[in-house]
Amino acid sequence: MPIPEDVTGDEIDKDVRQELQSLPKTLADDVARNLVMVARLLDEDPEGAYGYSRVALRLASRVAAVREAAGFAAYANQKYGEALAEFRAAKRMTGNIDLWPVMADCERGLGRPEKALDMAGAPEVHKLDKAGQVEMRLVAAGARRDMEQLDAAIVTLQSPELAANSVQPWTARLRYAYADALLAAGRESEAREWFAKAVEADRDGSTDASDRLAELDGVEFVDVVTDDESDTDQESDGGDSSEEEKD
C-alpha cells in the first residue's frame, strides 16, 4: 500500500522505535512507516488503517507493538476474533496487562458477555492503572447491558471515579455511560442530570452527550437558510420559477 512521502517512520513512539531495533534498519523503517499510517487512519479510515496493519504484520509479526497495532485496527473494524488473537499475542510477548479491558470488550463483541464479566473479576484488573480500571468498569457495565441486567449495569458504574468532581480523561465517558444506562432503565430525570454532567466534562467532544441532552429537552435542530442564501438561490435559478408562473 502506498505511503505518503512525508511519513518517515520517525513519528512513532520512542518505545515502539526501540522495539523495532531488533529488525534490520530498512525493514524497521518500513514497519515504522506502516505503523504511523495505522495510527493516523485508525479513527477516520479504519479500513485503511487495517490494510496498513496487515502489511506491518506480514513484515514483523514477532514484534509486540505490531501485534498490538494490528489488534486495534481489527477492533476498529469490528473483527473481534482477530483483534482478540492479536491482543493475546502482544500480551504473551510483553507480559503487559494494559490490553485486558479491550480484550474483554472483544469478548463482548463476540457475543460472550459472561466471559467479559469473568475478566472484569480477574486478578489482572488489580494490576491496571486507574484509567485501565475505569475502562474495565465500562466494559463490565456494557456486558451487564448485553445481558439485559440494567440495574446491575447502573450499580457497576457507581464508583468514586463517577462521583468525583475533578475531571479526568475518562470522566466524560464514564458519566455518559451512566446516563445512558439510567435512560435505558427509564430513569429519565436522572439520565438528564448525568448527560449534563457529561457535557461539562467533555472538553474535546469525545461523546455526543450534548446531542443526547438536547434530545431529552425536546430541542430539534433544523437547517436555517438565511435571507442572503435565499436571494442567492433565486438569482442562480435565473428567475425560471417566476417565468413559469407567467406561463
Side-chain angles (χ1 to χ4, degrees):
M1 297 179 67
I3 296 176
E5 292 183 5
D6 66 318
V7 175
T8 65
D10 293 333
E11 301 90 341
I12 63 171
D13 185 87
K14 63 180 182 180
D15 292 336
V16 177
R17 170 59 74 178
Q18 190 168 359
E19 268 194 77
L20 296 178
Q21 287 180 354
S22 61
L23 304 174
K25 187 179 187 313
T26 302
L27 179 58
D29 289 342
D30 286 345
V31 173
R33 294 179 73 213
N34 278 282
L35 292 181
V36 170
M37 293 305 297
V38 173
R40 180 178 289 188
L41 297 177
L42 195 60
D43 291 332
E44 59 191 52
D45 180 11
E47 287 187 17
Y50 180 76
Y52 285 106
S53 77
R54 301 308 295 176
V55 175
L57 197 58
R58 189 168 65 247
L59 294 173
S61 62
R62 295 184 180 182
V63 175
V66 171
R67 303 303 290 266
E68 184 174 329
F72 278 110
Y75 179 80
N77 285 275
Q78 300 182 3
K79 298 177 183 290
Y80 297 116
E82 190 175 314
L84 184 58
E86 298 300 343
F87 290 142
R88 283 174 173 166
K91 180 178 173 292
R92 279 197 304 272
M93 292 174 177
T94 64
N96 194 326
I97 207 67
D98 292 350
L99 294 170
W100 196 253
V102 72
M103 289 168 64
D105 206 40
C106 286
E107 296 287 3
R108 283 187 62 210
L110 291 167
R112 301 193 293 243
E114 298 90 348
K115 178 63 176 174
L117 287 175
D118 287 344
M119 293 179 69
E124 284 85 350
V125 175
H126 300 296
K127 301 175 185 177
L128 295 169
D129 61 15
K130 181 63 69 177
Q133 289 180 5
V134 170
E135 196 64 37
M136 192 71 248
R137 189 176 291 275
L138 287 166
V139 173
R144 291 293 185 188
R145 290 191 61 174
D146 293 342
M147 299 166 69
E148 299 184 358
Q149 299 174 359
L150 292 178
D151 289 341
I154 291 169
V155 171
T156 298
L157 293 167
Q158 291 170 344
S159 62
E161 293 81 19
L162 179 68
N165 291 322
S166 61
V167 174
Q168 303 294 336
W170 58 76
T171 303
R173 291 178 59 238
L174 186 58
R175 292 178 179 178
Y176 182 96
Y178 189 58
D180 196 43
L182 288 167
L183 188 61
R187 295 160 62 175
E188 187 170 315
S189 61
E190 293 173 85
R192 192 206 172 282
E193 176 188 348
W194 281 97
F195 275 127
K197 290 182 178 181
V199 170
E200 290 174 6
D202 195 358
R203 295 167 180 171
D204 59 359
S206 61
T207 74
D208 65 348
S210 59
D211 293 341
R212 300 292 299 278
L213 184 60
E215 186 180 327
L216 283 174
D217 288 342
V219 176
E220 293 185 13
F221 297 100
V222 295
D223 292 331
V224 177
V225 179
T226 65
D227 291 339
D228 291 342
E229 288 174 333
S230 181
D231 292 342
T232 302
D233 290 342
Q234 288 180 6
E235 289 172 9
S236 65
D237 289 342
D240 289 346
S241 58
S242 61
E243 288 298 326
E244 289 174 2
E245 288 175 1
K246 289 178 183 178
D247 292 340

